Amino acid sequence: MFDKMKDLWEMKKKMEDMKRELDGIVLESEDELVKVAITGSQEIKSVTIKADLSSVDKSALEASLTETVKRAIG
């Protein structure tokens, strides 16, 4: 029983180390309208609107943001 507890503790420690490592990796994706930065553990760090909002169609901006986030994750 103690061996299993020890194994679980070691696995938990490895998972925490891996999460810390993934949090240190930042991936970016961008197009002409938006830029997205995301960590390796898929936490969005920033979203930057690069275009002048007065000249951009709302649906185009939404589609751009959706696709840019998908590329950053994938």
Side-chain angles (χ1 to χ4, degrees):
M1 182 71 157
F2 182 71
D3 288 339
K4 288 185 181 188
M5 292 294 285
K6 183 179 176 186
D7 290 344
L8 287 173
W9 177 257
E10 288 176 10
M11 187 182 307
K12 181 178 184 276
K13 183 170 173 27
K14 286 180 184 178
M15 287 174 48
E16 289 170 351
D17 291 343
M18 185 178 292
K19 182 173 183 337
R20 223 178 349 267
E21 190 174 322
L22 287 172
D23 286 342
I25 298 170
V26 177
L27 308 167
E28 293 182 347
S29 179
E30 65 182 298
D31 63 12
E32 66 277 353
L33 299 177
V34 296
K35 179 178 179 180
V36 175
I38 189 169
T39 67
S41 58
Q42 297 185 349
E43 177 185 341
I44 295 176
K45 292 306 240 179
S46 67
V47 175
T48 305
I49 308 294
K50 296 172 24 177
D52 178 18
L53 292 179
S54 63
S55 65
V56 177
D57 177 58
K58 180 183 177 212
S59 61
L61 180 60
E62 290 170 345
S64 175
L65 185 56
T66 300
E67 289 305 312
T68 304
V69 169
K70 284 181 183 178
R71 281 194 313 271
I73 291 172

